[in-house]
Amino acid sequence: MKINAVKLYENGFMTQPFAFGGEGDQGDFDPTVRYRSSLQNFVIETDDEVILVDTGMPDGVPDAVPEDRTPLYMGNRIEDYLDALKTAGYTPDRISKILITHKHDDHTGMISSFPNAKVYISPEDADALDLKGDNIVRLTYGDGSYHEFPRSQKVAEGIRIIEAKGHTKGNSIIIAEDKGLFFMFHGDITYTDEALYGNKLSVAYEDLKAARETLDNVRAFIRNHPTVYLSTHTPLGYENLEDMKVIDLDYPPWSKPVGEIVYRTATGKYICGVCGFVYDPEKGDPTQGIPPGTPFSELPDDWHCPRCKREKSNFNPA
C-alpha cells in the first residue's frame, strides 16, 4: 500500500477559539494563538486500485483574503485539484473509488471529474449534496464494529469507512491498515492536531453530542493502536505521513509558528471558512430573502451560511 498527499493550499492559519472552542465558551481561548493551516486530500494506492480520500475544493472558487479576525484561513492556493493530483502522480482515469469523509466543498468539490469512479458516502451527506447515479454508493456500515468504533464498512482489503457523526450528520472517517500501522484519514474530526492532543472540539459541527462521542472513540483507538493521523487542514497531516509518525497522546508536538501570510485585494465576495460556500453580492441569497446587490456588510446579524449554517463571522473576504 502506498499513500500520497494531494497538496492544495499552504501557509494558512486558524485561531485557538476556532480550533478548540466547540464546547463551552470560546472566550476561554486566546484568539492571538494561531496554528498552521493548509488543505490537502489523500490517495491510497493498493496493488489493485487507486482510491481517493475526498476530492478538494472546486476549481474556480475564489481564494480567501485573510483579516486579523479571520478564524480559519486555508492559505494560498498551490494548484487546482486535478493539477495537484497530477503532481502527486495520478490521472482521473486511474481512480476506481472515492471515499468521502463529509459533504463540505473542500472534501467533495471535484467529484464530478471522476464519473467512472464509485463514490462511497453516507446517506445523510449524499442527500445533502443531492448525489444520484449508479456510481454513488450510499454507506450502510453493515460490516459491524471495528475496534473502538461501533459501525464500519469494508471498501477494500485493509480499508474501512467508519461511521463518525458530529462534524456533519453523516460524517465518516477512513482507516487503512498496512504493515502493522493504522492510517486514519479523519476529515475534520479536528482541524489541527493540537486539538487532538488537547481533547478539544472545533466550533464546526452539526451535532455536538455525536462529535464528542466520535472524538472520544478516535482518542481511544489511537491509544490502543499505532496510528498515523492524517489531517486535512494542517501541514501536520502530510508531515505525519512523510515521517510515519505514530501519535502518542501523552506527548504533544511542538507547534511550529505560522508562516508569512500573503494578503490580497478583496473582490466583494465572501467565502465560508468552514464549508467553502461563496457569497456573491450580485446574486444575494434567495434562501434567506437576501436580494441581489446586497453587500456582505449589509447582511443581517442573524444571517448564516446557506450550506453549513455557520455564522457570518466564519466568512472571509475573497
Side-chain angles (χ1 to χ4, degrees), residues 30-50:
D30 187 348
T32 66
V33 175
R34 291 177 170 181
Y35 303 105
R36 294 183 299 155
S37 185
S38 59
L39 177 64
Q40 59 275 337
N41 300 139
F42 295 93
V43 181
I44 305 171
E45 183 177 350
T46 72
D47 292 337
D48 303 316
E49 56 186 337
V50 178

Side-chain angles (χ1 to χ4, degrees), residues 18 23 41 76 79 139 157 219 228 241 248 250 277 290 310:
F18 175 87
E23 297 171 299
N41 300 139
N76 310 317
E79 292 181 293
L139 296 170
E157 188 62 36
R219 285 170 52 86
V228 182
L241 178 62
D248 184 338
D250 295 324
F277 175 82
I290 305 299
R310 299 302 303 174

Side-chain angles (χ1 to χ4, degrees), residues 72-114:
L72 171 64
Y73 169 56
M74 285 189 292
N76 310 317
R77 188 190 303 262
I78 302 171
E79 292 181 293
D80 286 338
Y81 183 79
L82 293 181
D83 291 332
L85 187 65
K86 183 177 180 180
T87 297
Y90 304 96
T91 53
D93 60 288
R94 294 186 62 192
I95 308 305
S96 58
K97 294 174 182 172
I98 301 173
L99 313 181
I100 298 297
T101 61
H102 64 284
K103 64 187 177 184
H104 292 156
D105 273 6
D106 49 338
H107 298 260
T108 62
M110 295 297 289
I111 287 177
S112 61
S113 297
F114 304 91

Side-chain angles (χ1 to χ4, degrees), residues 13 109 113 156 189 233 238 309:
F13 65 84
S113 297
I189 301 300
H233 286 289
Y238 56 79
K309 312 305 180 186

Side-chain angles (χ1 to χ4, degrees), residues 43-282:
V43 181
I44 305 171
E45 183 177 350
T46 72
D47 292 337
D48 303 316
E49 56 186 337
V50 178
I51 301 171
L52 300 185
V53 178
D54 294 334
T55 67
M57 191 71 80
D59 290 352
V61 170
D63 292 344
V65 178
E67 300 176 327
D68 289 340
R69 65 169 185 82
T70 298
L72 171 64
Y73 169 56
M74 285 189 292
N76 310 317
R77 188 190 303 262
I78 302 171
E79 292 181 293
D80 286 338
Y81 183 79
L82 293 181
D83 291 332
L85 187 65
K86 183 177 180 180
T87 297
Y90 304 96
T91 53
D93 60 288
R94 294 186 62 192
I95 308 305
S96 58
K97 294 174 182 172
I98 301 173
L99 313 181
I100 298 297
T101 61
H102 64 284
K103 64 187 177 184
H104 292 156
D105 273 6
D106 49 338
H107 298 260
T108 62
M110 295 297 289
I111 287 177
S112 61
S113 297
F114 304 91
N116 297 321
K118 295 288 186 182
V119 179
Y120 292 72
I121 185 171
S122 69
E124 297 92 341
D125 282 4
D127 288 344
L129 295 173
D130 195 28
L131 292 178
K132 300 175 182 177
D134 293 339
N135 67 318
I136 304 301
V137 180
R138 298 164 69 89
L139 296 170
T140 63
Y141 305 107
D143 290 319
S145 62
Y146 177 76
H147 301 291
E148 285 70 21
F149 299 101
R151 302 182 71 202
S152 73
Q153 183 167 335
K154 185 176 179 179
V155 295
E157 188 62 36
I159 303 173
R160 291 192 184 227
I161 298 185
I162 311 297
E163 185 179 57
K165 295 184 178 184
H167 180 62
T168 68
K169 293 178 180 178
N171 203 78
S172 62
I173 62 179
I174 290 90
I175 297 179
E177 301 180 40
D178 187 49
K179 298 178 181 176
L181 294 178
F182 296 80
F183 296 85
M184 181 180 287
F185 310 82
H186 67 82
D188 298 346
I189 301 300
T190 58
Y191 275 79
T192 185
D193 288 18
E194 286 88 348
L196 171 72
Y197 287 92
N199 195 18
K200 301 295 184 182
L201 292 172
S202 79
V203 300
Y205 55 80
E206 293 184 349
D207 185 328
L208 178 58
K209 182 180 178 181
R212 167 43 61 189
E213 181 179 350
T214 289
L215 182 56
D216 288 345
N217 289 341
V218 164
R219 285 170 52 86
F221 182 92
I222 288 172
R223 286 200 179 277
N224 292 324
H225 309 280
T227 303
V228 182
Y229 193 67
L230 302 179
S231 299
T232 301
H233 286 289
T234 170
L236 285 164
Y238 56 79
E239 291 170 1
N240 289 345
L241 178 62
E242 291 165 357
D243 296 338
M244 289 296 208
K245 177 180 173 58
V246 172
I247 296 296
D248 184 338
L249 294 176
D250 295 324
Y251 293 93
W254 173 70
S255 295
K256 295 181 181 179
V258 172
E260 182 179 356
I261 307 300
V262 176
Y263 292 88
R264 302 182 181 86
T265 302
T267 63
K269 299 178 181 179
Y270 277 71
I271 184 169
C272 179
V274 175
C275 75
F277 175 82
V278 177
Y279 176 77
D280 185 345
E282 292 186 4

Side-chain angles (χ1 to χ4, degrees), residues 14-27:
M14 67 187 78
T15 64
Q16 190 179 70
F18 175 87
F20 282 35
E23 297 171 299
D25 189 348
Q26 291 184 46

